[in-house]
Amino acid sequence: LRCASSSSSAPAGETQSCEPTTEQGKDCSRIDPACWDHVVPFEARFLDSLELNRVSEPSEFQVAVSKVFDQIDLNSDGSIDRHELEALMRERIYASCPPSVWALTPDQLLEKLGATGPRVTREEFVAAVERMADTLDRRVWPLATSQFFSALMFAFSQPLMPLLVKELGISMAQFGGTVAVMPLIRVGLAMPATYAANTYGRKPLTVEGQLVAAAGFGLSALVSTPLQLVGCRAIIGMGTSFAGVGQQNMLGDIATGRTRSRVFAPGAMRASAAFAVGPAVGGWLAATLGVQSTY
């Protein structure tokens, strides 16, 4: 991709698109990964740039939003126009990002803030920002479902591991070492996974991590030696480490001071539900189909 910034001849606020090319394919790599909307959603970027995402008390929030309005209203006329919003986007929301990666144009932001004309009044601005901070992002629910299935994989395996160890003839000491492999892998990959999430985005890390973990569980059905079991546990640890970091970073991106508990609660509830039903279902499947077939 060739990422071109707005030229001086282009209308103010107009964004340039990325065009396929083979000659200047390195231009996009110069853009900070945090500029892209799939890495940091616009709502989170907007509230963070205005230092509003950590304010939770309603009275404090309204005072903070009113102060932000005064900062954006450069000519102090009691309203915010398109040019002032463009300055806000250039200087604060996308301070280190070219217009080619902006998620919204100034005109679209004007509309998003509830303007009924060419300007945003103080009341419209406060109401729009409050809605933005109070609205629970719809991505919470697929993320919570993803956390449910991640927990369900572990819940299924809880009654299976001792049975598999018994079939393989592994000693208790070897069993303890095998169980410790996955947490050690997760600890070791915590920082690399965080770096990958900031570089390549949260969603790729979450999806690919889930696939790697699923492959590790699937390969457990084929193990015949203790060393193979250790390898499968290592693969599962890698996948769950990347998926977990991706999920938590995505939730952190979309959470505000006013929605934080509602953002993290669905995933915790569904994970607890998975651990409530998973061992029973896993034990029943092991008794019916056999241990390795259940994997």
Side-chain angles (χ1 to χ4, degrees):
L1 296 177
R2 174 168 55 86
C3 297
S5 60
S6 297
S7 62
S8 57
S9 60
E14 181 177 321
T15 59
Q16 304 295 321
S17 60
C18 293
E19 302 173 354
T21 182
T22 57
E23 297 178 356
Q24 298 183 5
K26 296 182 180 179
D27 290 348
C28 284
S29 63
R30 300 192 186 103
I31 297 175
D32 185 349
C35 291
W36 298 100
D37 192 55
H38 73 275
V39 177
V40 181
F42 177 80
E43 290 77 7
R45 187 191 308 277
F46 180 86
L47 295 171
D48 185 58
S49 66
L50 301 180
E51 299 180 356
L52 297 173
N53 58 341
R54 298 293 179 265
V55 184
S56 56
E57 290 295 329
S59 57
E60 294 178 2
F61 188 82
Q62 290 187 354
V63 171
V65 174
S66 184
K67 290 181 179 178
V68 167
F69 181 90
D70 293 332
Q71 296 171 7
I72 301 173
D73 183 15
L74 300 178
N75 55 11
S76 302
D77 63 351
S79 63
I80 299 174
D81 59 24
R82 180 193 180 284
H83 298 292
E84 290 168 333
L85 285 180
E86 183 178 358
L88 171 68
M89 296 179 74
R90 288 185 180 278
E91 297 171 8
R92 298 181 67 172
I93 300 177
Y94 291 102
S96 60
C97 307
S100 58
V101 299
W102 291 6
L104 298 175
T105 64
D107 289 319
Q108 291 171 328
L109 179 57
L110 190 70
E111 182 179 351
K112 188 178 182 69
L113 292 175
T116 55
R119 296 173 176 273
V120 180
T121 65
R122 183 182 298 271
E123 292 74 17
E124 290 171 339
F125 183 81
V126 172
V129 175
E130 282 187 336
R131 286 196 303 271
M132 196 180 300
D134 285 335
T135 301
L136 187 63
D137 196 299
R138 64 180 182 274
R139 288 170 295 179
V140 167
W141 303 109
L143 279 170
T145 303
S146 173
Q147 290 176 300
F148 170 78
F149 285 108
S150 294
L152 192 62
M153 286 194 294
F154 285 104
F156 273 169
S157 68
Q158 279 186 337
L160 301 182
M161 274 298 293
L163 299 174
L164 183 60
V165 165
K166 185 177 180 180
E167 287 186 2
L168 296 177
I170 298 176
S171 68
M172 293 304 295
Q174 291 174 319
F175 174 57
T178 301
V179 172
V181 168
M182 189 168 64
L184 289 174
I185 293 291
R186 289 172 63 90
V187 170
L189 289 179
M191 293 302 294
T194 302
Y195 174 80
N198 291 331
T199 303
Y200 302 109
R202 280 67 157 136
K203 186 186 294 184
L205 204 68
T206 300
V207 174
E208 293 166 14
Q210 296 276 45
L211 292 175
V212 171
F217 276 106
L219 289 173
S220 299
L222 306 175
V223 299
S224 57
T225 65
L227 188 59
Q228 291 175 349
L229 181 59
V230 170
C232 290
R233 297 287 291 180
I235 294 173
I236 296 170
M238 291 173 58
T240 54
S241 177
F242 283 113
V245 169
Q247 291 166 347
Q248 293 302 313
N249 275 284
M250 288 182 75
L251 290 172
D253 288 340
I254 63 181
T256 68
R258 297 160 70 95
T259 64
R260 189 165 305 280
S261 59
R262 289 185 287 149
V263 163
F264 286 94
M269 291 170 58
R270 294 190 181 189
S272 298
F275 277 105
V277 302
V281 176
W284 178 78
L285 289 173
T288 305
L289 304 175
V291 176
Q292 291 189 311
S293 297
T294 301
Y295 273 111

